[in-house]
Amino acid sequence: MTNQAPFNQLSHKQENISSEPRRYLVNIDSISMNQLFTDCLVIGAGIAGLRAAIEAADPQLGRGCNVIIVCKAAVQDSNTWQAQGGIASVLGKKDSFESHIADTLNTGCGISDKKVVELVVRRGPELIEQLLRWGTDFDKINGHIAMTLEGGHSHPRIAHAHGDETGRIIAQTLINKVRQNPSIKIIENFFAIDLLTEDNKCTGIIGYDKHGRLQIIWAANTILATGGAGQLYRETTNPEVATGNGIAMAYRAGAVLWDLEFMQFHPTTLYVAGASRALITETLRGEGAVLLDSNGHRFMKEYHEAAELAPRDIVSRAILAQMLKTNSTHVYLDVQHFRKGYFAKRFPRIFELCKSFNIDVTHDLIPVRPSAHYMIGGVKTDMKAATSIKNLYACGEVASTGLHGANRLGSNSLLEGLVFGKIAGQVVSQSTKVVATHLRHPLIKYQIPHSDRTRLDTIDVRNSLRALMWRNVGITRKAQPLKEAEEIIRFWQRYVMDKVFDSPAGWECQNMLTVSLLMAHAAQQRQESRGVHFRSDFPETDDAHSKKHIEISKDV
Ligand SMILES: Cc1cc2nc3c(=O)[nH]c(=O)nc-3n(C[C@H](O)[C@H](O)[C@H](O)COP(=O)(O)OP(=O)(O)OC[C@H]3O[C@@H](n4cnc5c(N)ncnc54)[C@H](O)[C@@H]3O)c2cc1C
């Protein structure tokens, strides 16, 4: 490895990190199980999966596949549905692709893939215009999509819908579009347990349906769009579905994973004891909200010249440092100076949320602190959304395309899901030649040795894991706590991974242990600070040795 080659080709490979020996989490006897067949299977119904399905089923592009989308809960249960602030794209006359590209690369701290950044930024406007044509009710000014500013962007380029309900409005548009197409079938409450493979080729999945049955879905092509992993942390903005399933499934199947040390923490989530950590969008700071500590002091200027508009990692660490300095559990967002009536109109969801906790934002400060928000790392994909496993594609938060580098620029993730969802669907549509029912399906017989260890309280393991990740693999990291986290997770794995569970809670717990271990391991390997990965024992960025990606895969 040298620093002469383009850095995006540089990676440091780690193999067989996890102590889990298993290829599959459940016993399989493919002949005797329920079976479905499809040209294209999409796992996940967020922006990436829905957009991919629409494209894969389009008969004007290629074969016009029959598509099955599975999602483990209701179609509305996704990170996409929760997205508030907006979607970034160059739509204003004073803005330019070059500026959006430069901002994205700048935030990525030296390890973004420039080709990917260019692709995503340049494709953005046409796909947002398409969403508009399909019925997304973006907020407008004088008939044009209204654009707002967010930290790290040098122009107002964030399109939003119904104020702070951007994700819900976009997702609803895509769901409507999917439902209009008889070639696409959505199966809700279907838990994908494992990807089925033969000779490094994906042939479908084994899952668990709403009737409590194991079910095989054979697919000519599979698109993984299972979203993020915020639930690995005690404090998170992510809904319950975000447990890193796709990363764990892909790891067991032998896919190459990338950048798992990079978990982005959102600086401002509502901190009210007992409430879930609801996100208070960054756009609020873009529109003038300021951060105060518990003494009423505006502190951000002491940490960064852009103050409240500094990149997320800097704001998160500054808040944490200020909490320590003032011996407080949180800081505050102050919006009392906003024009009368503006907040309720522009941020209706947050307004209602605060009101439900007796916080009147026109007179009260909003208590906030950081929490786990966005998984930058994931399943490594190329410009065509292809993974290292044949016939397996990945898009959205589960994928690691190299767009975000070591830090994600706000509102670039919905954009990435939209662009790579379309690309994945298009590639699948153009490459699917054989009708799924005519494919030869492998015989899979897989038997796990019986374990007679006692039954487990998986909720307890899960809660302990989330607390450990928050404490030891959180916003600020260092060698000893990271090593301790890895040891503890390995210990838990010894008695959790040998079980055969019969419901999603157990498989999810196993997946969470797998992904957490890989993250703790990757965080130890990166002995420098870069983007969202901050090591207090290596506070500097080390371009000479560490300007590369950490790649992880398992021999299967
Ligand atoms: C509160 C919040 C606010 C955000 N605000 C913004 C914003 O303003 N702008 C922005 O760009 N980004 C924002 N983000 C990030 C953005 O929403 C996500 O990165 C993006 O929506 C991810 O889309 P996705 O399609 O990859 O995954 P998701 O939308 O998370 O969808 C994942 C899907 O996979 C399914 N799934 C998971 N595991 C399984 C399994 N085992 N079997 C079957 N199905 C499974 C889930 O059920 C779900 O349908 C925000 C995120 C959160 C949490």
Side-chain angles (χ1 to χ4, degrees), residues 482-509:
L482 287 172
K483 186 163 170 279
E484 182 190 75
E486 185 168 337
E487 283 165 7
I488 294 174
I489 298 169
R490 280 189 196 284
F491 174 67
W492 290 337
Q493 277 198 333
R494 289 219 297 270
Y495 55 86
V496 179
M497 300 312 287
D498 72 340
K499 303 271 177 308
V500 181
F501 290 100
D502 54 9
S503 71
W507 301 315
E508 224 162 54
C509 181

PDB file of all heavy atoms in Angstrom, residues 482-509:
ATOM      1  N   LEU A 482     -12.279   0.700  23.805  1.00  0.00           N
ATOM      2  CA  LEU A 482     -12.639  -0.017  22.570  1.00  0.00           C
ATOM      3  C   LEU A 482     -12.286  -1.505  22.703  1.00  0.00           C
ATOM      4  O   LEU A 482     -13.061  -2.388  22.335  1.00  0.00           O
ATOM      5  CB  LEU A 482     -11.905   0.578  21.359  1.00  0.00           C
ATOM      6  CG  LEU A 482     -12.396   1.943  20.871  1.00  0.00           C
ATOM      7  CD1 LEU A 482     -11.461   2.498  19.803  1.00  0.00           C
ATOM      8  CD2 LEU A 482     -13.829   1.853  20.323  1.00  0.00           C
ATOM      9  N   LYS A 483     -11.107  -1.756  23.256  1.00  0.00           N
ATOM     10  CA  LYS A 483     -10.661  -3.145  23.436  1.00  0.00           C
ATOM     11  C   LYS A 483     -11.625  -3.863  24.395  1.00  0.00           C
ATOM     12  O   LYS A 483     -12.039  -4.995  24.166  1.00  0.00           O
ATOM     13  CB  LYS A 483      -9.241  -3.132  24.003  1.00  0.00           C
ATOM     14  CG  LYS A 483      -8.599  -4.475  24.110  1.00  0.00           C
ATOM     15  CD  LYS A 483      -7.074  -4.297  24.279  1.00  0.00           C
ATOM     16  CE  LYS A 483      -6.417  -5.610  24.625  1.00  0.00           C
ATOM     17  NZ  LYS A 483      -6.521  -5.975  26.038  1.00  0.00           N
ATOM     18  N   GLU A 484     -11.976  -3.138  25.460  1.00  0.00           N
ATOM     19  CA  GLU A 484     -12.888  -3.730  26.454  1.00  0.00           C
ATOM     20  C   GLU A 484     -14.235  -4.059  25.792  1.00  0.00           C
ATOM     21  O   GLU A 484     -14.805  -5.120  26.001  1.00  0.00           O
ATOM     22  CB  GLU A 484     -13.079  -2.735  27.596  1.00  0.00           C
ATOM     23  CG  GLU A 484     -13.971  -3.245  28.703  1.00  0.00           C
ATOM     24  CD  GLU A 484     -14.325  -2.135  29.683  1.00  0.00           C
ATOM     25  OE1 GLU A 484     -15.173  -1.264  29.331  1.00  0.00           O
ATOM     26  OE2 GLU A 484     -13.765  -2.125  30.770  1.00  0.00           O
ATOM     27  N   ALA A 485     -14.720  -3.135  24.932  1.00  0.00           N
ATOM     28  CA  ALA A 485     -16.005  -3.384  24.253  1.00  0.00           C
ATOM     29  C   ALA A 485     -15.898  -4.652  23.417  1.00  0.00           C
ATOM     30  O   ALA A 485     -16.796  -5.510  23.441  1.00  0.00           O
ATOM     31  CB  ALA A 485     -16.367  -2.195  23.363  1.00  0.00           C
ATOM     32  N   GLU A 486     -14.791  -4.794  22.691  1.00  0.00           N
ATOM     33  CA  GLU A 486     -14.648  -5.980  21.840  1.00  0.00           C
ATOM     34  C   GLU A 486     -14.648  -7.250  22.690  1.00  0.00           C
ATOM     35  O   GLU A 486     -15.309  -8.241  22.349  1.00  0.00           O
ATOM     36  CB  GLU A 486     -13.361  -5.873  20.999  1.00  0.00           C
ATOM     37  CG  GLU A 486     -13.249  -7.017  20.037  1.00  0.00           C
ATOM     38  CD  GLU A 486     -12.165  -6.865  18.957  1.00  0.00           C
ATOM     39  OE1 GLU A 486     -11.756  -5.741  18.644  1.00  0.00           O
ATOM     40  OE2 GLU A 486     -11.753  -7.917  18.431  1.00  0.00           O
ATOM     41  N   GLU A 487     -13.940  -7.204  23.815  1.00  0.00           N
ATOM     42  CA  GLU A 487     -13.875  -8.406  24.671  1.00  0.00           C
ATOM     43  C   GLU A 487     -15.253  -8.766  25.231  1.00  0.00           C
ATOM     44  O   GLU A 487     -15.659  -9.926  25.243  1.00  0.00           O
ATOM     45  CB  GLU A 487     -12.896  -8.165  25.829  1.00  0.00           C
ATOM     46  CG  GLU A 487     -11.447  -8.272  25.381  1.00  0.00           C
ATOM     47  CD  GLU A 487     -10.455  -7.695  26.403  1.00  0.00           C
ATOM     48  OE1 GLU A 487     -10.896  -7.318  27.528  1.00  0.00           O
ATOM     49  OE2 GLU A 487      -9.286  -7.604  26.055  1.00  0.00           O
ATOM     50  N   ILE A 488     -15.971  -7.733  25.686  1.00  0.00           N
ATOM     51  CA  ILE A 488     -17.297  -8.001  26.279  1.00  0.00           C
ATOM     52  C   ILE A 488     -18.243  -8.561  25.208  1.00  0.00           C
ATOM     53  O   ILE A 488     -18.980  -9.519  25.444  1.00  0.00           O
ATOM     54  CB  ILE A 488     -17.878  -6.715  26.914  1.00  0.00           C
ATOM     55  CG1 ILE A 488     -17.021  -6.302  28.104  1.00  0.00           C
ATOM     56  CG2 ILE A 488     -19.318  -6.939  27.367  1.00  0.00           C
ATOM     57  CD1 ILE A 488     -17.414  -4.969  28.726  1.00  0.00           C
ATOM     58  N   ILE A 489     -18.202  -7.971  24.018  1.00  0.00           N
ATOM     59  CA  ILE A 489     -19.112  -8.454  22.961  1.00  0.00           C
ATOM     60  C   ILE A 489     -18.754  -9.894  22.587  1.00  0.00           C
ATOM     61  O   ILE A 489     -19.637 -10.743  22.418  1.00  0.00           O
ATOM     62  CB  ILE A 489     -19.077  -7.538  21.712  1.00  0.00           C
ATOM     63  CG1 ILE A 489     -19.541  -6.124  22.078  1.00  0.00           C
ATOM     64  CG2 ILE A 489     -19.977  -8.102  20.612  1.00  0.00           C
ATOM     65  CD1 ILE A 489     -19.296  -5.073  21.017  1.00  0.00           C
ATOM     66  N   ARG A 490     -17.465 -10.190  22.509  1.00  0.00           N
ATOM     67  CA  ARG A 490     -17.068 -11.581  22.210  1.00  0.00           C
ATOM     68  C   ARG A 490     -17.593 -12.539  23.276  1.00  0.00           C
ATOM     69  O   ARG A 490     -18.045 -13.642  22.981  1.00  0.00           O
ATOM     70  CB  ARG A 490     -15.545 -11.709  22.137  1.00  0.00           C
ATOM     71  CG  ARG A 490     -14.978 -11.253  20.820  1.00  0.00           C
ATOM     72  CD  ARG A 490     -13.498 -11.597  20.709  1.00  0.00           C
ATOM     73  NE  ARG A 490     -12.895 -10.846  19.630  1.00  0.00           N
ATOM     74  CZ  ARG A 490     -13.059 -11.127  18.334  1.00  0.00           C
ATOM     75  NH1 ARG A 490     -13.796 -12.141  17.981  1.00  0.00           N
ATOM     76  NH2 ARG A 490     -12.494 -10.390  17.401  1.00  0.00           N
ATOM     77  N   PHE A 491     -17.556 -12.095  24.519  1.00  0.00           N
ATOM     78  CA  PHE A 491     -18.055 -12.940  25.604  1.00  0.00           C
ATOM     79  C   PHE A 491     -19.561 -13.175  25.438  1.00  0.00           C
ATOM     80  O   PHE A 491     -20.039 -14.309  25.497  1.00  0.00           O
ATOM     81  CB  PHE A 491     -17.730 -12.273  26.952  1.00  0.00           C
ATOM     82  CG  PHE A 491     -18.323 -13.003  28.124  1.00  0.00           C
ATOM     83  CD1 PHE A 491     -17.873 -14.275  28.466  1.00  0.00           C
ATOM     84  CD2 PHE A 491     -19.350 -12.431  28.871  1.00  0.00           C
ATOM     85  CE1 PHE A 491     -18.443 -14.964  29.529  1.00  0.00           C
ATOM     86  CE2 PHE A 491     -19.924 -13.118  29.925  1.00  0.00           C
ATOM     87  CZ  PHE A 491     -19.469 -14.388  30.264  1.00  0.00           C
ATOM     88  N   TRP A 492     -20.292 -12.099  25.186  1.00  0.00           N
ATOM     89  CA  TRP A 492     -21.746 -12.262  24.974  1.00  0.00           C
ATOM     90  C   TRP A 492     -22.013 -13.156  23.771  1.00  0.00           C
ATOM     91  O   TRP A 492     -22.938 -13.963  23.779  1.00  0.00           O
ATOM     92  CB  TRP A 492     -22.416 -10.898  24.782  1.00  0.00           C
ATOM     93  CG  TRP A 492     -22.457 -10.053  26.020  1.00  0.00           C
ATOM     94  CD1 TRP A 492     -22.384 -10.494  27.312  1.00  0.00           C
ATOM     95  CD2 TRP A 492     -22.575  -8.630  26.103  1.00  0.00           C
ATOM     96  NE1 TRP A 492     -22.438  -9.437  28.186  1.00  0.00           N
ATOM     97  CE2 TRP A 492     -22.561  -8.279  27.469  1.00  0.00           C
ATOM     98  CE3 TRP A 492     -22.686  -7.619  25.156  1.00  0.00           C
ATOM     99  CZ2 TRP A 492     -22.666  -6.954  27.912  1.00  0.00           C
ATOM    100  CZ3 TRP A 492     -22.793  -6.301  25.592  1.00  0.00           C
ATOM    101  CH2 TRP A 492     -22.782  -5.981  26.959  1.00  0.00           C
ATOM    102  N   GLN A 493     -21.210 -12.965  22.728  1.00  0.00           N
ATOM    103  CA  GLN A 493     -21.420 -13.775  21.511  1.00  0.00           C
ATOM    104  C   GLN A 493     -21.312 -15.267  21.810  1.00  0.00           C
ATOM    105  O   GLN A 493     -22.007 -16.073  21.191  1.00  0.00           O
ATOM    106  CB  GLN A 493     -20.371 -13.409  20.451  1.00  0.00           C
ATOM    107  CG  GLN A 493     -20.739 -12.178  19.648  1.00  0.00           C
ATOM    108  CD  GLN A 493     -19.939 -12.093  18.355  1.00  0.00           C
ATOM    109  OE1 GLN A 493     -18.831 -12.606  18.288  1.00  0.00           O
ATOM    110  NE2 GLN A 493     -20.486 -11.441  17.363  1.00  0.00           N
ATOM    111  N   ARG A 494     -20.436 -15.619  22.767  1.00  0.00           N
ATOM    112  CA  ARG A 494     -20.206 -17.050  23.024  1.00  0.00           C
ATOM    113  C   ARG A 494     -21.498 -17.781  23.375  1.00  0.00           C
ATOM    114  O   ARG A 494     -21.694 -18.924  23.022  1.00  0.00           O
ATOM    115  CB  ARG A 494     -19.174 -17.230  24.154  1.00  0.00           C
ATOM    116  CG  ARG A 494     -17.762 -16.852  23.749  1.00  0.00           C
ATOM    117  CD  ARG A 494     -16.743 -17.821  24.342  1.00  0.00           C
ATOM    118  NE  ARG A 494     -16.717 -17.809  25.800  1.00  0.00           N
ATOM    119  CZ  ARG A 494     -15.934 -17.011  26.510  1.00  0.00           C
ATOM    120  NH1 ARG A 494     -15.111 -16.187  25.909  1.00  0.00           N
ATOM    121  NH2 ARG A 494     -15.957 -17.049  27.829  1.00  0.00           N
ATOM    122  N   TYR A 495     -22.396 -17.097  24.120  1.00  0.00           N
ATOM    123  CA  TYR A 495     -23.622 -17.813  24.490  1.00  0.00           C
ATOM    124  C   TYR A 495     -24.867 -17.337  23.740  1.00  0.00           C
ATOM    125  O   TYR A 495     -25.934 -17.903  23.914  1.00  0.00           O
ATOM    126  CB  TYR A 495     -23.853 -17.800  26.015  1.00  0.00           C
ATOM    127  CG  TYR A 495     -23.882 -16.431  26.651  1.00  0.00           C
ATOM    128  CD1 TYR A 495     -25.053 -15.688  26.690  1.00  0.00           C
ATOM    129  CD2 TYR A 495     -22.740 -15.885  27.223  1.00  0.00           C
ATOM    130  CE1 TYR A 495     -25.077 -14.439  27.279  1.00  0.00           C
ATOM    131  CE2 TYR A 495     -22.756 -14.639  27.814  1.00  0.00           C
ATOM    132  CZ  TYR A 495     -23.922 -13.926  27.846  1.00  0.00           C
ATOM    133  OH  TYR A 495     -23.944 -12.675  28.422  1.00  0.00           O
ATOM    134  N   VAL A 496     -24.726 -16.288  22.907  1.00  0.00           N
ATOM    135  CA  VAL A 496     -25.897 -15.867  22.109  1.00  0.00           C
ATOM    136  C   VAL A 496     -25.843 -16.466  20.696  1.00  0.00           C
ATOM    137  O   VAL A 496     -26.861 -16.865  20.134  1.00  0.00           O
ATOM    138  CB  VAL A 496     -25.992 -14.323  22.011  1.00  0.00           C
ATOM    139  CG1 VAL A 496     -27.191 -13.902  21.174  1.00  0.00           C
ATOM    140  CG2 VAL A 496     -26.094 -13.703  23.400  1.00  0.00           C
ATOM    141  N   MET A 497     -24.620 -16.576  20.178  1.00  0.00           N
ATOM    142  CA  MET A 497     -24.504 -16.986  18.778  1.00  0.00           C
ATOM    143  C   MET A 497     -24.681 -18.488  18.574  1.00  0.00           C
ATOM    144  O   MET A 497     -24.839 -18.931  17.452  1.00  0.00           O
ATOM    145  CB  MET A 497     -23.156 -16.535  18.188  1.00  0.00           C
ATOM    146  CG  MET A 497     -22.904 -15.041  18.196  1.00  0.00           C
ATOM    147  SD  MET A 497     -24.236 -13.986  17.594  1.00  0.00           S
ATOM    148  CE  MET A 497     -24.185 -14.274  15.845  1.00  0.00           C
ATOM    149  N   ASP A 498     -24.643 -19.275  19.633  1.00  0.00           N
ATOM    150  CA  ASP A 498     -24.809 -20.714  19.411  1.00  0.00           C
ATOM    151  C   ASP A 498     -26.283 -21.140  19.476  1.00  0.00           C
ATOM    152  O   ASP A 498     -26.612 -22.302  19.311  1.00  0.00           O
ATOM    153  CB  ASP A 498     -23.967 -21.528  20.410  1.00  0.00           C
ATOM    154  CG  ASP A 498     -24.541 -21.474  21.812  1.00  0.00           C
ATOM    155  OD1 ASP A 498     -25.324 -20.553  22.094  1.00  0.00           O
ATOM    156  OD2 ASP A 498     -24.216 -22.358  22.621  1.00  0.00           O
ATOM    157  N   LYS A 499     -27.165 -20.202  19.727  1.00  0.00           N
ATOM    158  CA  LYS A 499     -28.596 -20.537  19.827  1.00  0.00           C
ATOM    159  C   LYS A 499     -29.265 -20.503  18.451  1.00  0.00           C
ATOM    160  O   LYS A 499     -28.820 -19.790  17.553  1.00  0.00           O
ATOM    161  CB  LYS A 499     -29.330 -19.497  20.686  1.00  0.00           C
ATOM    162  CG  LYS A 499     -28.779 -19.338  22.078  1.00  0.00           C
ATOM    163  CD  LYS A 499     -29.460 -20.298  23.025  1.00  0.00           C
ATOM    164  CE  LYS A 499     -28.878 -20.230  24.414  1.00  0.00           C
ATOM    165  NZ  LYS A 499     -27.431 -20.355  24.517  1.00  0.00           N
ATOM    166  N   VAL A 500     -30.360 -21.270  18.343  1.00  0.00           N
ATOM    167  CA  VAL A 500     -31.202 -21.122  17.157  1.00  0.00           C
ATOM    168  C   VAL A 500     -32.506 -20.482  17.636  1.00  0.00           C
ATOM    169  O   VAL A 500     -33.292 -21.119  18.330  1.00  0.00           O
ATOM    170  CB  VAL A 500     -31.496 -22.480  16.498  1.00  0.00           C
ATOM    171  CG1 VAL A 500     -32.348 -22.276  15.244  1.00  0.00           C
ATOM    172  CG2 VAL A 500     -30.207 -23.186  16.131  1.00  0.00           C
ATOM    173  N   PHE A 501     -32.685 -19.237  17.310  1.00  0.00           N
ATOM    174  CA  PHE A 501     -33.898 -18.534  17.764  1.00  0.00           C
ATOM    175  C   PHE A 501     -35.043 -18.799  16.798  1.00  0.00           C
ATOM    176  O   PHE A 501     -34.841 -19.220  15.649  1.00  0.00           O
ATOM    177  CB  PHE A 501     -33.618 -17.030  17.862  1.00  0.00           C
ATOM    178  CG  PHE A 501     -32.687 -16.686  18.990  1.00  0.00           C
ATOM    179  CD1 PHE A 501     -31.342 -16.441  18.758  1.00  0.00           C
ATOM    180  CD2 PHE A 501     -33.150 -16.627  20.301  1.00  0.00           C
ATOM    181  CE1 PHE A 501     -30.477 -16.138  19.801  1.00  0.00           C
ATOM    182  CE2 PHE A 501     -32.294 -16.323  21.350  1.00  0.00           C
ATOM    183  CZ  PHE A 501     -30.952 -16.080  21.098  1.00  0.00           C
ATOM    184  N   ASP A 502     -36.252 -18.502  17.270  1.00  0.00           N
ATOM    185  CA  ASP A 502     -37.399 -18.751  16.409  1.00  0.00           C
ATOM    186  C   ASP A 502     -38.266 -17.504  16.229  1.00  0.00           C
ATOM    187  O   ASP A 502     -39.427 -17.592  15.858  1.00  0.00           O
ATOM    188  CB  ASP A 502     -38.234 -19.927  16.944  1.00  0.00           C
ATOM    189  CG  ASP A 502     -38.639 -19.705  18.387  1.00  0.00           C
ATOM    190  OD1 ASP A 502     -38.423 -18.587  18.891  1.00  0.00           O
ATOM    191  OD2 ASP A 502     -39.162 -20.644  19.010  1.00  0.00           O
ATOM    192  N   SER A 503     -37.669 -16.329  16.513  1.00  0.00           N
ATOM    193  CA  SER A 503     -38.418 -15.086  16.254  1.00  0.00           C
ATOM    194  C   SER A 503     -37.440 -13.942  16.009  1.00  0.00           C
ATOM    195  O   SER A 503     -36.263 -14.014  16.403  1.00  0.00           O
ATOM    196  CB  SER A 503     -39.329 -14.762  17.443  1.00  0.00           C
ATOM    197  OG  SER A 503     -38.523 -14.363  18.515  1.00  0.00           O
ATOM    198  N   PRO A 504     -37.924 -12.852  15.375  1.00  0.00           N
ATOM    199  CA  PRO A 504     -37.040 -11.749  15.009  1.00  0.00           C
ATOM    200  C   PRO A 504     -36.243 -11.162  16.179  1.00  0.00           C
ATOM    201  O   PRO A 504     -35.106 -10.736  15.986  1.00  0.00           O
ATOM    202  CB  PRO A 504     -37.999 -10.716  14.409  1.00  0.00           C
ATOM    203  CG  PRO A 504     -39.081 -11.547  13.794  1.00  0.00           C
ATOM    204  CD  PRO A 504     -39.264 -12.702  14.753  1.00  0.00           C
ATOM    205  N   ALA A 505     -36.804 -11.150  17.398  1.00  0.00           N
ATOM    206  CA  ALA A 505     -36.065 -10.539  18.515  1.00  0.00           C
ATOM    207  C   ALA A 505     -34.706 -11.221  18.696  1.00  0.00           C
ATOM    208  O   ALA A 505     -33.692 -10.553  18.930  1.00  0.00           O
ATOM    209  CB  ALA A 505     -36.890 -10.641  19.795  1.00  0.00           C
ATOM    210  N   GLY A 506     -34.672 -12.536  18.579  1.00  0.00           N
ATOM    211  CA  GLY A 506     -33.422 -13.284  18.747  1.00  0.00           C
ATOM    212  C   GLY A 506     -32.450 -13.029  17.598  1.00  0.00           C
ATOM    213  O   GLY A 506     -31.269 -12.754  17.814  1.00  0.00           O
ATOM    214  N   TRP A 507     -32.948 -13.089  16.362  1.00  0.00           N
ATOM    215  CA  TRP A 507     -32.058 -12.870  15.200  1.00  0.00           C
ATOM    216  C   TRP A 507     -31.525 -11.445  15.212  1.00  0.00           C
ATOM    217  O   TRP A 507     -30.374 -11.198  14.867  1.00  0.00           O
ATOM    218  CB  TRP A 507     -32.822 -13.151  13.889  1.00  0.00           C
ATOM    219  CG  TRP A 507     -33.356 -14.548  13.831  1.00  0.00           C
ATOM    220  CD1 TRP A 507     -32.679 -15.685  14.168  1.00  0.00           C
ATOM    221  CD2 TRP A 507     -34.674 -14.954  13.450  1.00  0.00           C
ATOM    222  NE1 TRP A 507     -33.496 -16.777  14.011  1.00  0.00           N
ATOM    223  CE2 TRP A 507     -34.720 -16.365  13.570  1.00  0.00           C
ATOM    224  CE3 TRP A 507     -35.807 -14.282  13.020  1.00  0.00           C
ATOM    225  CZ2 TRP A 507     -35.864 -17.103  13.262  1.00  0.00           C
ATOM    226  CZ3 TRP A 507     -36.950 -15.010  12.713  1.00  0.00           C
ATOM    227  CH2 TRP A 507     -36.977 -16.407  12.839  1.00  0.00           C
ATOM    228  N   GLU A 508     -32.381 -10.519  15.630  1.00  0.00           N
ATOM    229  CA  GLU A 508     -31.952  -9.126  15.674  1.00  0.00           C
ATOM    230  C   GLU A 508     -30.832  -8.950  16.697  1.00  0.00           C
ATOM    231  O   GLU A 508     -29.848  -8.244  16.452  1.00  0.00           O
ATOM    232  CB  GLU A 508     -33.154  -8.262  16.066  1.00  0.00           C
ATOM    233  CG  GLU A 508     -33.274  -7.037  15.232  1.00  0.00           C
ATOM    234  CD  GLU A 508     -34.658  -6.450  15.320  1.00  0.00           C
ATOM    235  OE1 GLU A 508     -35.128  -6.185  16.447  1.00  0.00           O
ATOM    236  OE2 GLU A 508     -35.274  -6.267  14.263  1.00  0.00           O
ATOM    237  N   CYS A 509     -30.986  -9.617  17.836  1.00  0.00           N
ATOM    238  CA  CYS A 509     -29.965  -9.538  18.880  1.00  0.00           C
ATOM    239  C   CYS A 509     -28.641 -10.103  18.343  1.00  0.00           C
ATOM    240  O   CYS A 509     -27.569  -9.511  18.542  1.00  0.00           O
ATOM    241  CB  CYS A 509     -30.467 -10.322  20.091  1.00  0.00           C
ATOM    242  SG  CYS A 509     -29.344 -10.311  21.470  1.00  0.00           S
TER     243      CYS A 509
END
